[in-house]
Structure formats: structure tokens, C-alpha cells
Amino acid sequence: MTFWLCSQLAAWIFLLLLPGLSDGGKLLVVPMDGSHWLSMRQVVEKLNERGHEVVVVIPEVSWQMGMTQAYTVKTYPVSFTLEELDGAFHEYVHSHLKGLPFPQNALALYNSSIAVFNVFFSHCKDLFHNRELMQYLNQSDFDALLTDPISLCGAIVANYFSLPFIFFMRGFPCGLHYTATQCPNPLSYVPRLFTFNSDRMTFFQRVENALVALLELGYCNGFYAEAMKLSSEVLQRDVSLLDLLSSASIWLLRFDYVLEYVRPVMPNMIFVGGINCVQKKPLSKVRSFSPDYTFSNEM
Ligand SMILES: *[C@@H]1O[C@H](CO)[C@@H](O)[C@H](O)[C@H]1NC(C)=O
Ligand SMILES: *[C@@H]1O[C@H](CO)[C@@H](O)[C@H](O)[C@H]1NC(C)=O
């Protein structure tokens, strides 16, 4: 199943990259750390296996994005340590457990999520300051860029080099994937994040939905303030969050209507399902529930 899913994803991207069916494409990948990368890695490996030239650009300090033999990796030094990254993340987790009353809890969560994002995002500045790597990327003549939208770094790189780009994502705050694509997003039956409403709302739930929608862009503009500063700096013009995202060619959505309420989407938004694409270990043959079952090591 997992294999099938990843093959499907790879097939989509494969089609996007190929001018003719015989020659491989050249893909730049700007991934996002953590579970995001675990999902993307399999697709990247598959694309590489199929003869595409894949270059993955990653910061030297990261949680999950280690070395591999399967495709080309370019790393760049960053201005933070793994301890700093861990520290910011622990603070973020801790802010969820403080049990503060409303609205302090919301503010504390917002603050700590901005703080962790800013540590995390600073690698993007380091990338842009790395002349040698930027020059290499410029000269490499990529056909397209694959990235996770949440980190925004891939989108900035794609805009900087005027590369067509593909988003591969599970979730995006503030429904930005719908706003950026100018997708119909009716407040009357599309519940906003954190409202816990369904697609059938009472009048008051709709009012609540409308209020949350009003807050959303402000929320994300605050959250992405650092990223927008860098974008405007490197692109040398005033850039809004939506400017940066709206030129994405394709949005590959790692979900479907099993977990989401039915809603309109745009033609360049493609459901690929699957949430996560991590290859599972096959079940051990030893493990069974027969009486002679012996506990094996890695339960
Ligand atoms: C959030 O951060 C701001 C600025 O850094 C600070 O003034 C404020 O006290 C913080 N609020 C909470 C609830 O942590
Ligand atoms: C890429 O290199 C070309 C040729 O050297 C140069 O003209 C162009 O400005 C560079 N583009 C970027 C985004 O650095």
C-alpha cells in the first residue's frame, strides 16, 4: 500500500517533469525537517530511481534529513546548533502543557510557535548567504522544484530562481493553500481550523467560523513575518505571503476526503492521499498470538 502510494506520487511528479517520455528531468528538492521529510523522502528516492536527476538541499543541522546514497545531497552550514533547535522545540511542546487560561494559552502557543519557527527558518537565510551553493543552484538549470510549503524556504528559492514549483503537503496554517490558489472557500460550510465545527454549521457556528477566518491572515502574517522579511530582501520587492505561494504549479495534497470534509478545490490541487509515506517494516514472522508465542525484541 505504502509502496503503491509512493509510486503514484512519483508517477505524478514524473509526468510533471518530463518534456518527452524518454529523458529524465532535473529536480531541486528543498525539504522540510521532521515528519514532513519522512513523507517526502520516499517520493524523492523513487524519482531518483526512475532516472531523474534529483538534488536535495539541506541544512547541516537537522533532525531527520541525514545523508543518503540514493540521490545527490548538498548541505550548507547554519547559524544554529542542534541543541538550540531542540531547545526551541522543547519550549514549544512545553507551552502546550502549561495549562494557562484562555487567552494567555493561545498567546503563549502563538509565541512559542513563532519562536520555534524562527530558529527553524533561520537556515533559509544561511542558504541565501551561501554564495557558492546559490551559484551552483543557479547554474544547475533545474526543471522544477519540489518542496513542502510550510517552511516557505522552498517557495522563496523557487521564486528567486524563477523555477516552476510543486508543493507536497499535509497541512498548511490559515488555509493558505486555498487562499493562494483562489479556491472557493465558503464560510457557510468549510469549517476553519481549530473551530472544530463540521461542514454543517448552525448560525452561531458560522459566525464563529467567520470570525476565525478574519483572524487567519493576521495570524499567518505574524507567524511568517521573518520569512516575509527575507523574501522581500532577496526578491528585492515587497512580497506578500500570497504572492510567494500563488505561483505554485501543482499542489499535491497528502490527504483526501476520508479525514477532511468535502469541499471545492482548484484543478491544480491533487489529492494523493496517504498522510505519511514512511515505509513500514514488514511484520516479523515470529510474532503471532499462538500459545507458543515468544516475545521478540522490538515490541
Ligand atoms: C509573547 O511575546 C511577546 C514578545 O516577544 C512578549 O512581549 C509577550 O509577553 C509574550 N506573551 C506570552 C503570553 O508569552
Ligand atoms: C544566475 O546566473 C546568471 C548568469 O550568471 C545571472 O545573470 C543571474 O542573475 C543569476 N540569477 C540569480 C537569481 O542569481
Side-chain angles (χ1 to χ4, degrees):
M1 170 64 192
T2 305
F3 177 78
W4 177 84
L5 190 68
C6 291
S7 309
Q8 288 291 97
L9 292 176
W12 265 110
I13 299 169
F14 175 81
L15 286 176
L16 296 172
L17 289 177
L18 278 188
L21 280 176
S22 55
D23 46 346
K26 200 162 175 187
L27 181 70
L28 174 61
V29 180
V30 182
M32 157 110 186
D33 204 356
S35 56
H36 299 251
W37 172 238
L38 296 182
S39 307
M40 191 185 271
R41 188 177 62 199
Q42 310 252 326
V43 177
V44 169
E45 282 170 359
K46 203 85 204 156
L47 284 165
N48 189 71
E49 227 175 273
R50 293 191 174 186
H52 300 286
E53 202 179 327
V54 181
V55 176
V56 183
V57 172
I58 57 174
E60 266 174 15
V61 172
S62 79
W63 288 314
Q64 306 279 358
M65 304 185 291
M67 283 299 170
T68 168
Q69 323 266 289
Y71 40 82
T72 309
V73 174
K74 296 278 174 193
T75 59
Y76 50 95
V78 290
S79 46
F80 55 88
T81 63
L82 190 58
E83 288 69 36
E84 280 165 329
L85 189 59
D86 286 347
F89 190 70
H90 284 150
E91 184 53 40
Y92 171 70
V93 172
H94 182 65
S95 65
H96 284 79
L97 307 173
K98 276 182 187 159
L100 293 171
F102 185 83
Q104 283 103 308
N105 58 351
L107 274 175
L109 282 182
Y110 187 52
N111 263 13
S112 66
S113 58
I114 291 178
V116 75
F117 180 77
N118 285 349
V119 174
F120 193 77
F121 182 77
S122 61
H123 77 83
C124 199
K125 294 178 203 166
D126 298 321
L127 171 63
F128 274 95
H129 290 147
N130 192 318
R131 282 196 182 191
E132 205 182 317
L133 184 52
M134 290 307 280
Q135 203 166 19
Y136 161 82
L137 295 180
N138 189 14
Q139 286 165 358
S140 295
D141 223 5
F142 290 103
D143 295 312
L145 184 147
L146 175 69
T147 190
D148 187 304
I150 284 201
S151 80
L152 281 197
C153 193
I156 302 174
V157 173
N159 276 275
Y160 184 72
F161 290 121
S162 308
L163 287 174
F165 58 112
I166 305 145
F167 281 137
F168 180 69
M169 58 163 278
R170 167 67 186 95
F172 205 4
C174 315
L176 284 169
H177 44 315
Y178 300 123
T179 327
T181 48
Q182 297 186 314
C183 184
N185 206 8
L187 287 165
S188 51
Y189 74 94
V190 176
R192 294 317 196 244
L193 203 62
F194 303 128
T195 57
F196 304 106
N197 292 333
S198 79
D199 57 347
R200 285 162 196 238
M201 288 175 258
T202 63
F203 175 73
F204 287 107
Q205 285 172 330
R206 287 181 186 185
V207 171
E208 178 192 33
N209 216 39
L211 290 176
V212 170
L214 266 181
L215 293 175
E216 275 183 342
L217 208 52
Y219 179 98
C220 270
N221 280 331
F223 185 79
Y224 282 128
E226 276 294 304
M228 298 327 297
K229 222 168 85 190
L230 179 71
S231 313
S232 299
E233 214 176 285
V234 301
L235 299 175
Q236 296 185 359
R237 58 187 161 89
D238 264 342
V239 188
S240 74
L241 200 44
L242 297 182
D243 290 337
L244 204 60
L245 302 167
S246 59
S247 47
S249 306
I250 306 275
W251 297 72
L252 296 175
L253 308 174
R254 232 163 42 241
F255 54 85
D256 51 33
Y257 291 142
V258 174
L259 287 175
E260 306 283 321
Y261 294 109
V262 175
R263 52 153 305 134
V265 289
M266 294 306 257
N268 65 340
M269 305 176 84
I270 298 156
F271 293 107
V272 292
I275 305 178
N276 272 316
C277 213
V278 178
Q279 195 105 46
K280 297 281 183 299
K281 281 187 211 149
L283 282 177
S284 141
K285 294 224 167 61
V286 183
R287 220 170 276 156
S288 79
F289 291 99
S290 59
D292 60 344
Y293 175 78
T294 47
F295 278 94
S296 64
N297 40 22
E298 5 99 70
M299 270 309 275

